[in-house]
Amino acid sequence: NISRVTEFILLGLSDTQELQLLFFTLFLLAYAMVLLGNLLIIVTVRTDPKLSSPMYFLLCNLSFIDICYTSVTAPRVLVALLSGHKAIAFEGCMAQLFFLHFVGSSEMFLLTVMAFDRYTAICRPLHYTAIMARRACWALVSACWVGGFIHSIVQTVLMLQLPFCGPNTIHSYFCDVPPVVRLACADTTLTEWLVASNSGLISLGCFLVLVASYALILAKVRAHVSQGHWKALSTCTSHVMAVTLLFMPCIFTYLRPAGTVPANKYICVIYTIFSPMMNPLIYTLRSNEVKESV
């Protein structure tokens, strides 16, 4: 008979008490900045009629996604660092894995839509209003959520089909596919390649589309020297920095079988905490309209 694992042990970032207090302080400050910064954007966009363009509609949705994305992992990490309780039930681990990929992949799709919005506004300004009508914006945002749900369902089903009967120690501070799949009591080669082709290719594909869209924008504005086009160039540069912070760690983590390279739990901090914290600063503070409204 095979005994099924009922809980996992999340080792966290460190076992040293002093470092745990330091990580708790840093995570608490980062999570508070994510909540306050993104809530401020949502309230500002929703209450100011001047911020009714498609760009701010998409930005408002990005802020909501960032709040959800960070809330999947941060509260559980804070409780574990403060109380020392590192166990998580099997069902809770699978739920965290599901919502992490659901919201995370939805954010990747939304960032791709936002890049398309910027490309349309700069390269096809006369058709912008018709292309990015409110109904089209709602359809694009809904497609992002549906795409994220389908992706996450596939990941979760792949994990639920694996037998877990032996080790239950996860070398990370949250449940994710790479560290969990290593604990399965079976040959996981096929599952690892399926995960890499799912999460990895989504991350790489969205990143390449983003880079291509910004490259087209830069090629468009290169021939112009007006102040507005230089502003567009500066904005695109900051956006490329933001998406790089999110996509490069994800590509490194997921675009390979889980057993080929040891996972680095500190890299996960970049796309689970640091990137959602930086998004309000990068996407908002460069907009004079938002700063005036705030």
Side-chain angles (χ1 to χ4, degrees):
N1 293 331
I2 300 178
S3 58
R4 183 172 176 269
V5 170
T6 59
E7 67 177 15
F8 293 105
I9 305 298
L10 298 170
L11 295 183
L13 295 171
S14 175
D15 292 329
T16 307
Q17 185 67 25
E18 292 77 9
L19 287 178
Q20 287 185 356
L21 293 176
L22 175 62
F23 285 135
F24 174 81
T25 303
L26 294 177
F27 268 74
L28 181 61
L29 291 175
Y31 186 48
M33 290 179 64
V34 170
L35 293 179
L36 294 177
N38 286 289
L39 283 174
L40 180 61
I41 293 175
I42 293 174
V43 172
T44 302
V45 173
R46 296 290 295 176
T47 56
D48 193 339
K50 293 185 297 183
L51 304 178
S52 59
S53 66
M55 179 180 69
Y56 296 114
F57 172 77
L58 297 175
L59 181 62
C60 185
N61 280 274
L62 177 65
S63 296
F64 175 72
I65 286 181
D66 277 336
I67 292 175
C68 297
Y69 185 52
T70 310
S71 299
V72 174
T73 57
R76 178 66 181 76
V77 175
L78 292 173
V79 171
L81 289 171
L82 191 63
S83 65
H85 182 70
K86 300 181 177 181
I88 182 172
F90 178 85
E91 293 78 8
C93 183
M94 293 297 107
Q96 188 180 58
L97 185 150
F98 169 80
F99 285 108
L100 179 75
H101 282 266
F102 176 32
V103 183
S105 57
S106 299
E107 177 169 1
M108 291 184 179
F109 295 141
L110 182 61
L111 287 172
T112 307
V113 171
M114 292 177 68
F116 172 75
D117 172 72
R118 291 298 84 207
Y119 165 80
T120 307
I122 296 173
C123 299
R124 303 187 63 186
L126 298 179
H127 301 86
Y128 178 71
T129 305
I131 295 175
M132 297 301 296
R134 182 50 64 99
R135 180 176 297 180
C137 290
W138 276 109
L140 289 171
V141 171
S142 301
C144 292
W145 285 104
V146 172
F149 179 79
I150 294 174
H151 159 74
S152 185
I153 281 290
V154 172
Q155 298 287 86
T156 307
V157 169
L158 288 174
M159 292 298 101
L160 291 175
Q161 290 180 344
L162 295 175
F164 296 95
C165 54
N168 66 338
T169 302
I170 298 177
H171 294 273
S172 184
Y173 59 92
F174 65 97
C175 289
D176 197 7
V177 174
V180 172
V181 74
R182 293 187 179 94
L183 304 180
C185 305
D187 183 11
T188 59
T189 303
L190 179 60
T191 302
E192 291 177 22
W193 280 106
L194 290 174
V195 168
S197 62
N198 187 4
S199 296
L201 289 181
I202 286 178
S203 303
L204 180 62
C206 290
F207 181 70
L208 292 178
V209 171
L210 284 163
V211 171
S213 65
Y214 287 124
L216 292 173
I217 293 174
L218 295 179
K220 176 71 174 179
V221 303
R222 185 178 59 179
H224 301 272
V225 293
S226 65
Q227 182 180 358
H229 283 88
W230 280 115
K231 180 181 178 181
L233 176 63
S234 176
T235 302
C236 289
T237 302
S238 63
H239 288 189
V240 169
M241 293 172 57
V243 301
T244 301
L245 284 174
L246 173 64
F247 282 93
M248 293 308 294
C250 291
I251 292 172
F252 174 79
T253 301
Y254 298 112
L255 194 61
R256 55 185 173 81
T260 55
V261 181
N264 191 329
K265 54 191 175 183
Y266 297 102
I267 292 180
C268 301
V269 178
I270 299 176
Y271 63 86
T272 58
I273 298 294
F274 188 70
S275 179
M277 182 180 65
M278 294 300 296
N279 279 344
L281 302 177
I282 293 176
Y283 285 98
T284 305
L285 289 184
R286 303 186 66 87
S287 172
N288 291 328
E289 292 179 340
V290 175
K291 287 189 290 186
E292 292 173 359
S293 297
V294 172

